[in-house]
Amino acid sequence: MITIKSEREIKLMRRAGKIVGLCHQEISKFIKPGITTNEVDQFVEKLILDNGAIPSFKGYAGFPYATCISVNDVVVHGMPSSYRLKQGDIISVDIGANYKGYHGDSAWTYPVGKISKEDQLLLEITEKSLFKGLEFAKVGNRVSDISNAIESFIKEYNYGVVEEFTGHGIGQQLHEAPTIPNFGEKGKGPVLKAGMTLAIEPMINKGTKKVKTLIDGWTVKTVDRAKSAHFEHTILVTEDSCEILTTT
Ligand code: MG
Ligand code: MG
């Protein structure tokens, strides 16, 4: 069942989203060559706690960190570590904050120092594909209209759209119905209604769409070791557009 949020719930989700947005705003200045991904994780965790929220991911299905940090060929669910970022890396930071029982969820891929033109394009196109998807997140459309918009936009490029991981409903649970793939025919799936809150999150690979999960049970990498980008916002469906919640 897809939950419709009340005004009170929407207020709490706005607050959760704002905290996540603030974390992204701050780490965009913090990420640079020489810092470790553990430092990024600790920076975000402190910021979430200082704002009266709890990191949504810590303890979720046993995940031990506040953030998922996925560098270069890691697609999603990477674990923070002692790895030191170096110039030319790209780093996807996925952040969730739980404010008074409601979640915000947003991922963004950042360049570390100066990156190649090719990698810059991957980031730009993946970010744009998120906003293409968001254009279709409005009352009366169906879930797969979002999916189709993302895939259709990416099709012009020789990129792989990851299929194993998807966007999702969000609210009191980090992952709620519906599942929102980043590919598929339009006109399928549930009809969108005002008050639904969704996390839309294209994961786009520079090479093949194929991915594998490492033995740690979390880290997902591209099978061809090509780089991957991930952009995600939590949004509220409204009558003729959507409201982005995970922004400052
Ligand atoms: Mg996320
Ligand atoms: Mg998500």
Side-chain angles (χ1 to χ4, degrees):
M1 195 196 69
I2 305 175
T3 57
I4 304 287
K5 275 72 179 183
S6 67
E7 267 313 311
R8 183 192 72 89
E9 292 179 300
I10 289 168
K11 271 192 192 138
L12 294 170
M13 291 206 59
R14 279 197 186 107
R15 181 70 199 148
K18 221 178 191 42
I19 294 166
V20 174
L22 175 71
C23 289
H24 277 294
Q25 189 182 63
E26 292 305 312
I27 58 165
S28 68
K29 296 175 257 176
F30 183 75
I31 289 169
K32 52 180 150 327
I35 65 165
T36 68
T37 56
N38 270 332
E39 288 170 321
V40 177
D41 180 67
Q42 284 155 13
F43 182 88
V44 171
E45 181 165 15
K46 183 173 186 306
L47 202 50
I48 292 173
L49 295 171
D50 286 350
N51 280 279
I54 304 164
S56 304
F57 303 163
K58 201 169 192 175
Y60 186 88
F63 189 78
Y65 299 97
T67 60
C68 295
I69 298 192
S70 305
V71 178
N72 294 333
D73 61 336
V74 180
V75 179
V76 282
H77 303 162
M79 295 215 203
S81 72
S82 56
Y83 175 76
R84 261 178 216 290
L85 295 169
K86 55 183 199 305
Q87 169 121 307
D89 284 343
I90 61 170
I91 171 179
S92 303
V93 185
D94 198 347
I95 301 173
N98 171 351
Y99 182 75
K100 296 189 176 168
Y102 289 83
H103 297 274
D105 183 10
S106 171
W108 219 253
T109 304
Y110 299 95
V112 180
K114 194 170 163 46
I115 62 170
S116 71
K117 280 210 170 93
E118 264 188 13
D119 292 346
Q120 189 58 49
L121 186 69
L122 174 72
L123 266 51
E124 282 170 23
I125 295 308
T126 307
E127 181 179 350
K128 274 190 187 159
S129 78
L130 166 62
F131 286 91
K132 288 285 166 193
L134 295 184
E135 283 175 25
F136 289 80
K138 59 182 178 188
V139 168
N141 278 354
R142 288 180 181 266
V143 165
S144 85
D145 295 336
I146 300 171
S147 315
N148 183 262
I150 294 168
E151 187 187 27
S152 303
F153 179 72
I154 293 295
K155 220 173 221 165
E156 295 174 39
Y157 303 86
N158 220 3
Y159 293 151
V161 178
V162 175
E163 295 180 354
E164 284 89 338
F165 301 90
T166 65
H168 50 91
I170 179 168
Q172 282 186 294
Q173 305 297 324
L174 181 60
H175 294 113
E176 298 186 352
T179 293
I180 310 168
N182 295 305
F183 66 98
E185 271 176 60
K186 55 184 156 191
K188 303 262 157 76
V191 174
L192 300 178
K193 295 185 181 141
M196 288 181 177
T197 43
L198 310 172
I200 316 287
E201 50 179 314
M203 288 148 262
I204 307 297
N205 301 342
K206 206 156 76 176
T208 176
K209 67 182 178 184
K210 288 189 189 142
V211 300
K212 62 177 178 195
T213 302
L214 300 194
I215 199 147
D216 64 20
W218 286 104
T219 312
V220 177
K221 282 193 175 196
T222 58
V223 299
D224 62 0
R225 308 295 307 268
K227 285 177 178 157
S228 183
H230 181 199
F231 288 80
E232 174 185 30
H233 266 313
T234 295
I235 58 106
L236 167 71
V237 177
T238 62
E239 281 306 328
D240 43 27
S241 63
C242 69
E243 178 185 329
I244 295 174
L245 302 179
T246 37
T247 188
T248 49

